[in-house]
Amino acid sequence: MSELNSLVMKILSPGKGILAADESTGTMTKRLDDVNVKSSQENRLKFRHTLFTSEKMRTGIGGVILYEETIKQEFNGQSIPDILKEFGSVPGIKVDTGAKNLAGSKNEKITEGLDGLRERLKDYYKLGARFTKWRGVYNISEGCPSNLAIKSNAHALARYASLVQESGMVPIVEPEVLMEGNHSEKTCFESTSKVLDECFRELILNKVDLSGIILKPNMILPGNMSKIELTSEEIAKLTIKCLKNSVPEQVPGITFLSGGQTEKGATANLNLINKLNSTNFIMSFSYGRALQQNALKYWSNNIEDVQGTQKVFNHRVEMCSLASTGNWDMSLEQN
């Protein structure tokens, strides 16, 4: 077992998943604006520190993806990475610089951030990061995702992953086929399959150790404007089939993004995926909004109510933790 693989297994030890707390300042400002809280550096840190020091972090969160601002912050003289380690989580860092318009395509994106990445990775390692994240985004519409978008993003993801492993960290490879649109689950399945197939072709070409990565894909879902309703069982079967077909067996762990699903919806779907999982992949979560949304709403009423906010967050972590082992049930949910 390689050091990188050992690190993956630590992050994804039984019942644990990843908290995606890597919202950029712009995204976090929008989230705080939505709940009428001023987006100051102090408030952003206060909310994140409240989550990071919650009791269920110890049992349900194996890794936390941070934003550049957060990994450099301290709370009462203690660095955020040290606080996370104290609560049993491995610190991670988002390293891409965002999705920009893809030249040669009208409405598709390419994720940037490869320039100077090797040097930045050394700095992040010194700050305490031991895994990283890079997100490629693909939309489904007429003619999309195009071969250009699929190949360009796969190449960038593979070059990123190779550099990250060179620096002694685990790369999360996140090719996200977006939920926005009126497409069917069949179209999502076909597009996701093409995206994953090309990603792994490039990863292998770039000599990435597949046993030392975490894949962060979307679930197979119909578009959010399609009016198609699927059961969690149907979503789980399609998602498992897609991953079985396209993901090499050497990959140890898959952590799903929530991708705009509701908190309970993302939990129910993950639970069924684990109940029906016929693969050797660890299937867990790497949720942002689906872990934080209710806690943020509660916190916005009184940002000094740390205990109350943690209680809301602890419940959500526990639900996702149970779903990651197929032991969640709707009767356990708070109303």
Side-chain angles (χ1 to χ4, degrees), residues 28-39 43-44 46-48 50-51 292-310 312-313:
M28 199 60 188
T29 297
K30 187 177 181 303
R31 300 257 168 94
L32 292 174
D33 284 347
D34 287 345
V35 292
N36 299 312
V37 175
K38 185 187 175 190
S39 180
N43 283 345
R44 291 192 294 274
K46 187 176 280 192
F47 177 65
R48 284 169 169 152
T50 298
L51 303 189
Q292 299 180 56
Q293 197 145 323
N294 276 352
L296 180 62
K297 281 180 192 169
Y298 182 95
W299 177 79
S300 69
N301 294 317
N302 177 5
I303 66 174
E304 302 305 328
D305 186 0
V306 171
Q307 273 191 313
T309 304
Q310 289 183 335
V312 175
F313 180 67

Side-chain angles (χ1 to χ4, degrees), residues 242-255:
C242 178
L243 295 170
K244 219 172 178 176
N245 290 349
S246 297
V247 181
E249 289 179 1
Q250 301 99 294
V251 175
I254 294 169
T255 59

Side-chain angles (χ1 to χ4, degrees), residues 48 60 65 67 71 101 116 127 143 180 182 303 307 310-311 325:
R48 284 169 169 152
I65 312 168
Y67 184 58
I71 199 171
N101 291 334
L127 287 166
E180 281 77 25
N182 58 9
I303 66 174
Q307 273 191 313
Q310 289 183 335
K311 187 178 177 186
T325 57

Side-chain angles (χ1 to χ4, degrees), residues 312-324:
V312 175
F313 180 67
N314 282 332
H315 172 73
R316 197 72 255 137
V317 172
E318 187 177 11
M319 294 300 98
C320 289
S321 176
L322 287 169
S324 74

Side-chain angles (χ1 to χ4, degrees), residues 186-237:
K186 183 173 182 282
T187 303
C188 178
F189 184 100
E190 289 167 355
S191 297
T192 303
S193 298
K194 285 179 190 171
V195 163
L196 290 174
D197 289 345
E198 188 60 33
C199 274
F200 281 103
R201 261 195 291 276
E202 283 287 344
L203 288 164
I204 291 163
L205 186 64
N206 281 269
K207 297 183 168 54
V208 172
D209 173 9
L210 298 185
S211 74
I213 71 166
I214 295 170
L215 178 68
K216 182 174 176 176
N218 52 282
M219 295 179 193
I220 303 302
L221 299 159
N224 60 356
M225 292 179 276
S226 69
K227 295 183 180 170
I228 298 169
E229 289 188 18
L230 293 187
T231 64
S232 288
E233 187 171 345
E234 289 170 314
I235 290 164
K237 283 178 178 175

Side-chain angles (χ1 to χ4, degrees), residues 24-84:
S24 66
T25 303
T27 299
M28 199 60 188
T29 297
K30 187 177 181 303
R31 300 257 168 94
L32 292 174
D33 284 347
D34 287 345
V35 292
N36 299 312
V37 175
K38 185 187 175 190
S39 180
S40 63
Q41 193 175 52
E42 181 190 2
N43 283 345
R44 291 192 294 274
L45 175 59
K46 187 176 280 192
F47 177 65
R48 284 169 169 152
H49 182 263
T50 298
L51 303 189
F52 297 165
T53 53
S54 299
E55 179 195 345
K56 291 295 180 182
M57 287 285 296
R58 298 183 189 277
T59 53
I61 303 293
V64 178
I65 312 168
L66 301 169
Y67 184 58
E68 185 156 6
E69 174 186 80
T70 322
I71 199 171
K72 294 173 179 175
Q73 288 176 318
E74 292 185 351
F75 199 95
N76 291 339
Q78 192 177 17
S79 77
I80 291 297
D82 283 347
I83 289 167
L84 291 175

